[in-house]
Structure formats: structure tokens, C-alpha cells
């Protein structure tokens, strides 16, 4: 059976090559109730896949916006275990694909196999771990494959051909292309290098694995630009910031404008 | 053993963006090690610039006062810039130049590694940015000004606990962003492979010298080595050349206000295995896998994890690990100042505090080498504050 993530990409393709809109939010920022409401809003406004951030004390791949969001979630007492329970509850409300984005230590501490089992059973569809390169991920990939959790790895502008191949092979669900050498929330620039790397990833996965681009996508214009070369567009820091700062109506308009732009 | 691992510890747990840079560094380091010209330049700088070899000093009055084994001090406090950190910083600055990198970045806690890196950058005409937690900037304002005098930019890190670990996070974020032209000078035997191996190599000059010096002075190897362990670079530098010998070794962690209070940095006493800032090792963490805040009177030992090779040496039993409290370290700080006229760094004072417990239990013909990893000038102000002395 195809995962919810694969099914979503297939469905989008059948509907006429519409690209996936992947929205990142920090789970528990500022509360789990708030996150549940936010998931609902995002789905209503057209998000295809939700990335749920798991708060961690030392998020070294994240910029200030997501660092602060993680800090608030930790304050609210949220950790990996709570996020998995949250997913279990959320599954009664929605079938939208859910990807957990976590640093490696919480998973290591939880236990790799227990994590794969519990997350999959709760209804999560995939996992992204920015500080776990493919080279260190053999055991976790095995557990995730067994329990049916997609493993989404990151490819970067600095990745060599050899590493792009490893990332393409190890990824399931989709491949996450990091738009720049930097951290989340920095500025985007769409370059010929980027489109070259994305083409390469598609070739290496024989066109079977969608490539989504994240880091630095914040405006509808940027999202539109990225969606011309990628299968999916990931928006994180900008959504987290808007969700915290803007009134609900403005937030809805913003999310819808992203949806409109990604096609 | 898997490459980059010490038993189950070590590895490369960093974002993909940095993986090619680690590979490049590994290759540059391997080729530099084989290059006689590189080794000669490092040796020449060690001698003419750092002031090596540093003396191995017999602390006669200290030994007599404690009434047991003979205590020798490896005088890393006498190096240029005042601590062992310069050995590694200059070595990595040479490596950076070899790789064509124009910019050095580093984290610093007490400021010693920051000063050492800024020194290396000045010497080779490289741009330099040092990340330092705002809490440490407050505690070590003198070193902040030293770095600025040396031409470095000091960036104030006010995220998280505002100390060393947050400075490392920020340095890693910088490296991820500027990896093309920048070398990250990791200051200790920690972080992703190959850093633990590189730092060990550049610091092992300490143990190599000490080994030759004690054979000359005593005609035999020492019975014991003692060094403090923050990330673990000065201890690894001393221990590494003795690992195959019949020599007992003790690493001393920061006991802070006592293990039972939770306010300490004793990873081996209060930690469990985790993955942090690029490496798998012992880590002070909670049940969610979040990293705990640490406490020590010495900023250089105030860190939540420890070099992966130390973790392996602990598990195999080759090295004993213990801790000394803030109070014990402060006692040793004053003891050495008065008995020998040497003001030690508070970090090194932890090693001295353990030596003071060990020496009386040993015979007079036994020999202990303590690594006096740095001098205490940087700590004088903080000690005065603790003792409530107005300067």
C-alpha cells in the first residue's frame, strides 16, 4: 500500500500536475490545542502535507523563528512522546499526511525502533531528521521501513553527486532539497544550480521520488518560482511567524495565497 | 571499528550541508599528516611561537605539603596565550590555510579557545569570528577585549542558556551558511568526525613531551596522569601517548555544587548516552532527550557532553573518571598559588584538587603528572567576586 505521502503526490499528479504545498509548524507552539486548530486551518486553506516540528533544546539547523517556537513548545511541556500522542488524537480528525521533523537525540533517547513503531501506529507518515545524514541512518531506516514510516532525507547545494545518489536511494515519500547553504528562515535564491540538482535527484530516483524544496521560501512569489522546478514547496519559518503574529483572517489569506502560487 | 567511531561513540551527526566539508577536512588532514613540510611548519611554530616544549616542573613544596607521591606539573600555562588551546588552534589555522579557507570561526566558553583562534587568524591574516554566550561574555570580559585586540569579531549569543553549547550551535549555523570559504576551528576533542581525531593529534604534543621529560627526570614512566575534562582536549593530549603504557590515568570532571544537587557538569556521573552537536557520547539530558543546563565555577568545563574517545576510554576502563567540586577546585587554586607561586586556571585546578586527594595515598617514590592546562589570570576577577573581595 502506498503511504499517505505517496498517495498525495499521485493524486496531485492525476489532478493535473498541481504541486504539493507542504506547511511546517512547531507542535505545541504555543499549545497542543493551538496546533490542532492550526492543522485544521492549514488543511482548509489548501496545505497538502503537514510537517510537525518536534521541539528540541538545541536546534542547530534552525533560524531564530523556529528556535523561538521550539522554546515555547518546550515551555508548554511538549516532547517527542507528546507529539506522537498528539498525532494519534489528530488522526481522528484528519487524514492529511503528517511528517514529523525532529532532531536525532529525542529519537535516539526514545529508542529508534520504539519510535518507528509508535509514530507509525499513531498515524504519522514520515520523519525528517536534519542532523541525521544518510551515513548514520541505516538502523533507523530499517525500523521505519518495517513499520511503514517514510524516511525523508535532505540534499543540499553542497552535496556531491555521490551524496545526491545516497540521499535519493535512502529517501522515501519525497526527497527534501535544501534551497541554500544555511539554516531555516534565511533568504531564498532560485538558481540554475538548484534546478540542476533537482533534475539530478529526479534522474537518480528514476522519477519515482518527488523532490520538495524548503528553507527560505516565504512569499507567494518565491513559492511560485520554486514550484516551477520542484514537485513540492515547503514553507516553514514564514508560516510559524505569521501564525503567531497575524490575525486569523490575515493568516488564512496568506496561506491561501501560497496555495494559489504553488502549481 | 567504524570510521570516525570510538567503540559505539563518535560519528557525524550534522546537517547534510556540512557533510562534504567534513570529508574535505578529513582528506586535508590526512594529506597534511603525510606532508613533511606541514609537520615541520607546525613544529617550527610550536617552538618559536607557542614556546614549546613547555617545562615539566617538579612541584616540590606541593608534593611535600601533601606528603606522598612526587607531583610534576606539565606547564601548558606557559604557552603563548596561556593555555593548551593554542596547540590546536594554530594547527587548525594551518590546515585552513592549506584548504584555501579565508575565514576562521570558533566557539568559546572561558575565552581561551577564542583567544587562541583569534591569535592564529592574526598570524596568518585570516578573517575571524568568535561565538560566545552572553553569560560567558559577562564572566570573561577581559578575554573578549583580547580577542577584539587581535582583530576578531566577537558575536554575542543570547539564545538558549547563553553559554558554550549555545555558542557551538551558533558557530555550526554560521558554518552551515558559509561553508564555502570558512573553516570551523572546533576547540576540543568533540563534534563530528574528524574533529576529535584532529584535535587529539595537535594536542598530543603535550603527552609526547611529558613522556620524554619524565623519562629524563626520573628514569621511569609516571605511575599516574591527572587532567581535567571539559570537552577533553588537554586530557586527551596528555593521555594519548601513554595509552599503551602501564600508567594509570584519571580525568577530572566538574562536580559543580555536588552531583546530588544536579548543578554540575559530570557527564560520567550523571549522564547517559546521547547525540549532541555532531557526536554520540555521554550527555547530560532529560528523559525527552533535551540537553540539560550545566554548572561549573570554570567556564571551560561547563559543557553537557564529552569527547567520544573519553566515553570509550571510560567504558573500557582504561581511564578512571572522577570529579572535583567548585569548592575543591577553588581550594586547589589557592593552594598552588601559595605553595608554588603558580596561579592555575580554574579548569586545571580541578585536576590539582584530585591530585591532592591521590598523592597522600601513594608512596614517596611514586610519580604523578598533572596537566596544568592553563594559567589563572583570566579567573582572578571571578575568584575575587566569589570570595567577595572588592578589587
Amino acid at each position: 500500500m502506498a503511504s499517505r505521502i505517496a498517495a498525495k503526490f499521485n493524486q496531485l499528479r492525476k489532478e493535473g500536475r498541481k504541486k504539493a504545498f507542504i506547511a511546517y509548524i512547531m507542535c505545541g507552539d504555543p499549545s497542543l490545542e493551538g496546533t490542532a486548530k492550526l492543522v485544521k486551518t492549514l488543511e482548509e486553506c489548501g496545505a497538502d502535507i503537514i510537517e510537525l516540528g518536534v521541539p528540541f533544546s538545541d536546534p542547530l539547523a534552525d533560524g531564530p523563528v523556529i528556535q523561538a517556537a521550539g522554546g515555547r513548545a518546550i515551555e508548554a511541556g511538549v516532547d517527542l512522546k507528546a507529539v506522537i500522542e498528539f498525532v494519534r488524537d489528530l488522526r481522528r480528525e484528519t487524514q492529511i499526511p503528517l511528517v514529523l521533523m525532529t532532531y536525532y537525540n529525542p529519537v535516539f533517547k526514545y529508542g529508534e525502533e520504539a519510535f518507528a513503531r509508535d509514530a507509525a501506529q499513531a498515524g504519522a507518515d514520515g520523519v525528517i531528521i536534519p542532523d541525521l545524514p544518510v551515513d548514520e541512518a541505516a538502523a533507523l531506516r530499517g525500523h521505519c521501513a518495517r513499520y511503514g514510516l517514510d524516511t525523508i532525507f535532505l540534499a543540499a547545494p553542497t552535496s556531491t553527486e555521490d551524496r545526491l545518489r545516497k540521499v535519493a536511494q535512502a529517501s522515501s515519500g519525497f526527497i527534501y532539497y535544501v534551497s541554500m547553504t544555511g539554516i531555516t528562515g534565511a533568504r531564498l535564491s532560485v538558481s540554475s544550480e538548484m534546478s540542476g540538482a533537482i533534475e539530478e535527484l529526479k534522474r537518480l530516483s528514476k522519477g519515482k521520488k518527488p523532490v520538495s524544496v524548503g528553507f527560505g521560501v516565504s512569499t507567494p512569489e518565491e513559492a511560485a518560482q520554486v514550484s516551477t522546478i520542484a514537485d513540492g514547496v515547503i514553507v516553514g519559518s514564514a508560516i510559524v511567524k505569521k501564525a503567531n503574529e497575524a490575525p486569523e483572517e490575515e493568516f488564512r489569506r496568506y496561506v491561501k495565497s501560497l496555495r494559489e502560487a504553488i502549481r | 571499528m567504524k570510521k570516525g567511531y570510538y567503540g559505539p561513540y563518535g560519528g557525524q551527526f550534522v546537517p547534510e550541508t556540512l557533510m562534504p566539508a567534513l570529508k574535505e577536512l578529513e582528506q586535508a588532514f590526512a594529506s597534511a599528516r603525510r606532508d613533511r613540510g606541514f609537520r615541520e611548519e607546525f613544529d617550527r611554530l610550536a617552538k618559536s611561537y607557542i614556546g614549546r616544549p613547555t617545562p615539566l616542573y617538579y612541584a616540590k613544596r606541593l608534593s611535600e605539603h601533601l606528603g606522598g607521591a612526587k607531583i610534576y606539573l606539565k606547564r601548558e600555562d606557559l604557552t603563548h596565550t596561556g593555555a593548551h588551546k593554542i596547540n590546536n588552534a594554530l594547527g587548525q589555522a594551518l590546515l585552513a590555510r592549506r584548504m584555501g579557507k579565508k575565514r576562521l570561526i570558533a566557539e568559546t566558553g572561558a575565552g581561551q579557545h577564542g583567544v587562541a583562534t583569534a591569535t592564529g587568524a592574526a598570524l596568518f591574516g585570516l578573517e575571524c569570528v568568535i561565538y560566545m554566550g552572553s553569560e560567558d561574555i559577562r564572566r570573561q570580559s577581559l578575554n573578549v577585549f583580547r580577542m577584539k585586540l587581535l582583530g576578531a569579531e566577537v558575536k554575542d549569543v543570547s539564545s538558549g542558556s547563553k553559554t558554550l553549547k549555545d555558542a557551538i550551535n551558533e558557530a555550526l549555523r554560521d558554518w552551515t551558511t558559509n561553508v564555502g570559504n570558512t573553516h570551523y576551528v572546533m576547540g576540543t576533542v568533540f563534534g563530528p568526525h574528524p574533529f576529535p581525531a584532529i584535535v587529539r593529534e595537535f594536542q598530543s604534543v603535550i603527552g609526547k613531551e611529558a613522556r620524554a621529560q619524565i623519562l629524563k627526570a626520573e628514569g621511569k614512566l609516571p605511575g599516574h596522569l591527572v587532567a581535567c575534562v571539559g570537552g577533553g582536549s588537554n586530557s586527551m593530549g596528555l593521555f594519548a601517548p601513554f595509552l599503551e603504557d602501564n600508567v594509570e590515568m584519571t580525568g577530572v570532571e566538574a562536580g559543580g555544587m555536588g552531583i546530588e544537587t544536579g548543578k554540575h557538569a559530570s557527564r560520567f556521573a550523571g549522564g547517559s548516552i546521547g547525540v549532541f552537536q555532531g557526536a554520540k557520547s555521554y550527555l547530560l539530558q532529560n528523559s525527552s532527550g533535551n540537553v540539560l543546563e550545566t554548572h561549573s565555577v570554570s567556564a571551560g568545563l561547563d559543557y553537557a557532553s564529552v569527547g567520544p574517545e573519553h566515553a570509550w576510554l571510560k567504558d573500557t576502563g582504561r581511564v578512571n573518571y572522577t570529579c572535583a567540586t567548585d569548592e575543591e577546585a577553588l581550594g586547589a587554586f589557592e593552594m598552588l598559588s601559595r605553595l608554588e607561586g603558580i596561579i592555575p586556571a580554574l579548569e586545571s585546578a580541578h585536576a590539582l584538587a584530585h591530585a591532592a586527594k591521590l598523592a597522600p595515598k601513594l608512596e614517596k617514590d611514586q610519580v604523578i603528572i598533572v596537566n596544568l592546562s592553563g594559567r589563572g589570570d583570566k579567573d582572578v576577577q571571578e575568584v575575587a567576586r566569589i570570595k567577595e573581595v572588592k578589587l
Side-chain angles (χ1 to χ4, degrees):
Chain A
M1 193 187 86
S3 72
R4 279 193 199 88
I5 297 170
K8 174 60 79 175
F9 277 101
N10 285 337
Q11 176 207 333
L12 290 172
R13 207 170 299 139
K14 275 181 205 147
E15 285 170 6
R17 301 196 54 77
K18 208 167 72 162
K19 307 296 178 78
F21 168 26
I22 303 168
Y24 171 98
I25 51 175
M26 174 61 73
C27 196
D29 167 34
S31 66
L32 290 175
E33 296 73 42
T35 303
K37 190 163 163 270
L38 199 52
V39 170
K40 194 156 172 272
T41 305
L42 288 166
E43 190 174 10
E44 284 167 9
C45 297
D48 298 304
I49 296 172
I50 304 285
E51 270 182 32
L52 277 179
V54 177
F56 178 54
S57 54
D58 294 84
L60 58 82
D62 283 304
V65 170
I66 293 176
Q67 285 177 44
R72 290 188 292 269
I74 289 175
E75 280 292 299
V78 173
D79 64 1
L80 179 56
K81 191 160 181 277
V83 172
I84 291 172
E85 286 311 308
F86 173 79
V87 167
R88 197 186 307 280
D89 291 342
L90 197 64
R91 269 291 165 245
R92 297 197 197 103
E93 318 275 326
T94 173
Q95 292 307 308
I96 193 166
L98 296 169
V99 177
L100 304 184
M101 184 151 180
T102 175
Y103 285 85
Y104 182 55
N105 195 50
V107 173
F108 179 79
K109 186 74 181 166
Y110 194 100
E112 291 188 324
E113 180 167 12
F115 164 76
R117 181 194 62 216
D118 294 355
Q121 283 173 2
D125 302 296
V127 61
I128 304 171
I129 307 182
D131 61 342
L132 186 71
V134 284
D135 320 55
E136 301 284 359
L140 183 69
R141 277 176 61 203
H143 297 308
C144 288
R146 191 165 144 223
Y147 291 101
L149 199 64
D150 282 333
T151 47
I152 294 145
F153 287 95
L154 283 71
T158 52
S159 300
T160 51
E161 159 110 29
D162 162 54
R163 297 199 57 82
L164 289 178
R165 179 173 295 114
K166 284 187 187 173
V167 168
Q169 274 167 5
S171 295
S172 54
F174 64 89
I175 302 166
Y176 192 134
Y177 185 76
V178 175
S179 70
M180 84 262 295
T181 57
I183 54 177
T184 59
R187 281 191 64 109
L188 175 85
S189 70
V190 176
S191 63
S192 57
E193 253 180 350
M194 188 197 292
S195 48
I198 291 169
E199 283 311 310
E200 186 64 16
L201 286 168
K202 288 185 186 175
R203 191 182 68 77
L204 289 166
S205 63
K206 300 187 178 66
K208 285 186 184 139
K209 295 176 185 174
V211 180
S212 300
V213 173
F215 282 42
V217 184
S218 93
T219 65
E221 293 71 31
E222 289 164 342
Q225 245 183 315
V226 170
S227 75
T228 60
I229 54 172
D231 302 306
V233 181
I234 304 160
V235 186
S237 299
I239 286 180
V240 171
K241 193 165 189 286
K242 266 276 198 301
N244 272 291
E245 291 171 4
E248 180 161 352
E249 276 318 299
E250 187 187 327
F251 178 69
R252 281 177 177 269
R253 271 200 305 279
Y254 168 68
V255 176
K256 282 179 186 160
S257 70
L258 289 172
R259 168 70 281 174
E260 291 302 309
I262 299 167
R263 50 182 60 255
Chain B
M1 225 182 276
K2 200 173 148 193
K3 196 185 72 176
Y5 274 83
Y6 305 88
Y9 305 111
Q12 296 183 306
F13 297 88
V14 293
E16 171 63 24
T17 306
L18 293 179
M19 291 298 284
L22 293 176
K23 182 91 189 160
E24 179 192 6
L25 181 59
E26 188 184 345
Q27 285 166 349
F29 177 56
S31 98
R33 280 180 87 173
R34 285 192 303 267
D35 178 356
R36 185 141 56 112
F38 182 88
R39 294 200 308 267
E40 280 171 0
E41 184 164 18
F42 182 69
D43 290 346
R44 184 178 59 75
L45 280 172
K47 194 172 168 196
S48 62
Y49 190 76
I50 300 178
R52 305 208 70 91
T54 58
L56 184 70
Y57 166 72
Y58 171 43
K60 188 161 180 285
R61 291 196 70 215
L62 176 69
S63 304
E64 284 171 4
H65 173 77
L66 295 169
K70 292 172 88 169
I71 297 178
Y72 280 82
L73 304 176
K74 181 59 176 162
R75 298 291 309 274
E76 292 301 295
D77 60 317
L78 293 177
T79 55
H80 178 46
T81 72
H84 73 289
K85 292 291 184 190
I86 190 75
N87 303 325
N88 167 57
L90 274 196
Q92 286 200 46
L94 276 172
L95 264 184
R97 199 183 58 178
R98 190 182 171 90
M99 290 186 289
K101 306 277 180 177
K102 305 280 183 235
R103 181 171 176 267
L104 298 183
I105 59 170
E107 81 291 346
T108 198
Q112 291 305 108
H113 176 55
V115 167
T117 303
T119 300
L123 182 62
F124 297 125
L126 303 169
E127 194 190 328
C128 184
V129 174
I130 304 295
Y131 289 92
M132 191 168 183
S134 35
E135 179 58 21
D136 290 333
I137 286 180
R138 186 193 62 75
R139 287 193 285 197
Q140 302 285 348
S141 53
L142 202 62
N143 269 343
V144 173
F145 187 57
R146 285 172 83 195
M147 290 183 261
K148 288 180 180 166
L149 281 174
L150 291 161
E153 183 188 349
V154 180
K155 288 211 172 157
D156 185 330
V157 179
S158 57
S159 55
S161 61
K162 306 178 174 60
T163 59
L164 180 59
K165 80 177 176 76
D166 309 285
I168 295 179
N169 287 336
E170 213 49 45
L172 283 168
R173 289 178 188 122
D174 178 319
W175 200 30
T176 306
T177 306
N178 302 299
V179 63
N181 71 347
T182 298
H183 175 64
Y184 180 14
V185 184
M186 173 66 76
T188 189
V189 288
F190 196 70
H193 171 74
F195 282 114
I198 291 175
V199 179
R200 176 200 215 261
E201 173 86 7
F202 289 131
Q203 292 295 3
S204 65
V205 64
I206 302 170
K208 284 180 197 154
E209 287 176 8
R211 201 170 186 284
Q213 287 165 324
I214 198 71
L215 284 173
K216 196 166 175 216
E218 291 284 336
K220 64 175 184 186
L221 289 173
H224 297 262
L225 303 177
V226 181
C228 63
V229 183
S233 70
N234 89 79
S235 48
M236 194 53 66
L238 177 64
F239 295 169
F242 293 91
L243 284 171
E244 305 301 319
D245 299 317
N246 185 22
V247 174
E248 284 190 34
M249 304 178 186
T250 304
V252 186
E253 297 184 282
M257 293 159 99
I259 305 301
E260 66 288 351
T261 66
K263 293 184 192 317
H264 63 86
S266 294
R267 293 66 46 104
F268 292 129
S272 55
I273 298 170
V275 175
F276 185 51
Q277 295 181 332
K280 188 181 287 179
S281 184
Y282 281 74
L283 174 65
L284 290 167
Q285 60 183 327
N286 67 15
S287 58
S288 305
N290 284 321
V291 178
L292 295 174
E293 297 204 353
T294 51
H295 167 82
S296 170
V297 69
S298 77
L301 303 184
D302 201 352
Y303 184 60
S305 192
V306 60
E309 189 173 2
H310 282 291
W312 182 231
L313 292 170
K314 151 89 178 166
D315 282 10
T316 59
R318 179 64 190 90
V319 176
N320 307 308
Y321 292 88
T322 182
C323 60
T325 62
D326 286 356
E327 201 181 324
E328 290 168 333
L330 287 164
F333 178 86
E334 291 194 38
M335 178 173 67
L336 194 72
S337 302
R338 293 196 183 179
L339 289 174
E340 297 288 352
I342 299 170
I343 301 176
L346 280 174
E347 289 78 9
S348 321
H350 285 72
L352 289 163
H354 178 71
K357 294 179 209 167
L358 177 65
K361 294 184 203 154
L362 301 174
E363 298 299 326
K364 286 192 168 27
D365 63 343
Q366 292 256 41
V367 172
I368 302 173
I369 296 178
V370 178
N371 199 8
L372 200 68
S373 53
R375 64 178 177 232
D377 305 40
K378 70 179 173 61
D379 296 314
V380 167
Q381 215 166 11
E382 184 68 4
V383 172
R385 193 187 63 81
I386 292 166
K387 290 174 66 85
E388 296 178 356
V389 175
K390 257 211 148 120
L391 297 179

